[in-house]
Amino acid sequence: MAGHSKWANIQHRKGRQDAARSKLFSKLSKEITVAAKMGDPDPEKNPRLRLAVKEAKSQSVPKDVIERAIKKSAAGEGDDYEEIRYEGYGPNGVAVIVEAMTDNRNRTASTVRSTFTKNGGNLGETGSVGFMFDRKGEVAYQVDIGDADTVMMAAIEAGAEDVESTEEGHLIYCADSDLHEVSGALEAELGESESTKLVWKPTTTTELDLEGMQKLMKLVDALEDDDDVQRVTTNFEASDEVMNQL
């Protein structure tokens, strides 16, 4: 999918802005606290916590912030959070999955619904767009880690299912249940990854022009601006020309 890695880069650059960065740190810290609460506070014994800490480090979250988030779990913080997935359609029929972590289900549902409505979309029932995505593990490496063949061979040896190599970098996909093992094998071969996480990978996509992308980004930005929303995934497809115009 031409657009996805480029859009990740756009979001990554946007994340360098202080306000967005502070919000991102807060969301990553929340995930760490909840992951530690649900399992062992030692990342080496808790795969979900290990992934959360790894993702936080990849976004340059300071070590003391990570340690503080883990300690919060021991203090009972994170007890009230529940994970909810919302599904709906954005402008031009693009499928959208919103993953939230909230201590007030009614507040979050109301905000997510109104955000969809105000930005040309509509919230659907659970499962209304989920069939257009597969739950996968994703390991990202920078482009200079090696050429496509080198990364492909390492991915095959590690038990991965697919590799997408572009000028933006390498994305390696595996079954969601295999992410811990696959990422460990990849690190032994290729070194530390840029990020390791569970994602919703589109199986069908919707092509967008420049205007469609601008409308979609407005919706995604508004959703991500909500403190309860952890992650937003869409199934857009866009040409390199459109992405460059953005």
Side-chain angles (χ1 to χ4, degrees):
M1 283 163 288
H4 282 275
S5 57
K6 275 202 171 72
W7 198 16
N9 261 13
I10 290 171
Q11 290 177 313
H12 192 65
R13 286 196 295 271
K14 190 181 70 176
R16 291 279 180 252
Q17 298 167 3
D18 289 345
R21 197 171 176 77
S22 173
K23 195 174 285 285
L24 178 65
F25 280 15
S26 174
K27 293 183 181 192
L28 292 169
S29 294
K30 187 191 289 186
E31 167 64 22
I32 289 170
T33 299
V34 171
K37 190 71 190 174
M38 292 174 68
D40 195 289
D42 180 358
E44 293 306 314
K45 300 176 184 174
N46 182 338
R48 176 170 173 174
L49 178 57
R50 181 174 176 269
L51 290 178
V53 168
K54 187 174 180 55
E55 183 65 12
K57 286 180 177 177
S58 77
Q59 297 294 341
S60 304
V61 176
K63 186 178 179 182
D64 63 314
V65 174
I66 293 173
E67 290 175 351
R68 194 157 59 241
I70 293 174
K71 286 176 182 174
K72 280 183 178 180
S73 69
E77 292 190 37
D79 284 355
D80 300 330
Y81 288 122
E82 60 177 321
E83 294 173 283
I84 307 172
R85 188 173 82 243
Y86 300 97
E87 301 180 20
Y89 288 93
N92 301 297
V94 173
V96 182
I97 291 180
V98 181
E99 294 171 270
M101 199 176 283
T102 181
D103 56 1
N104 187 325
R105 179 187 282 259
N106 291 336
R107 177 193 67 220
T108 308
S110 175
T111 303
V112 169
R113 182 176 289 106
S114 67
T115 302
F116 266 92
T117 303
K118 288 175 185 174
N119 292 278
N122 60 286
L123 190 62
E125 299 292 323
T126 300
S128 60
V129 304
F131 67 93
M132 292 188 248
F133 298 81
D134 285 333
R135 190 64 162 161
K136 294 293 182 184
E138 179 192 271
V139 185
Y141 278 95
Q142 293 185 345
V143 69
D144 58 5
I145 198 73
D147 61 27
D149 288 341
T150 300
V151 175
M152 176 66 79
M153 289 307 297
I156 291 171
E157 288 292 321
E161 296 176 346
D162 192 20
V163 180
E164 292 178 9
S165 293
T166 68
E167 61 186 26
E168 305 291 333
H170 307 280
L171 294 176
I172 301 164
Y173 294 98
C174 64
D176 56 348
S177 58
D178 294 342
L179 181 56
H180 189 60
E181 289 180 14
V182 170
S183 63
L186 284 168
E187 285 187 15
E189 186 67 27
L190 299 175
E192 185 83 6
S193 64
E194 193 173 19
S195 77
T196 300
K197 58 191 174 184
L198 290 168
V199 299
W200 292 99
K201 190 172 188 288
T203 54
T204 60
T205 57
T206 299
E207 179 83 24
L208 292 180
D209 58 14
L210 180 60
E211 183 183 357
M213 278 302 303
Q214 289 169 334
K215 288 179 179 177
L216 178 63
M217 288 183 74
K218 188 178 176 188
L219 168 62
V220 172
D221 283 345
L223 286 167
E224 290 183 337
D225 205 39
D226 183 354
D227 290 339
D228 294 336
V229 172
Q230 291 291 101
R231 196 170 294 110
V232 180
T233 308
T234 74
N235 74 334
F236 83 89
E237 174 81 41
S239 67
D240 287 341
E241 183 183 357
V242 168
M243 294 307 296
N244 289 334
Q245 287 175 342
L246 280 171

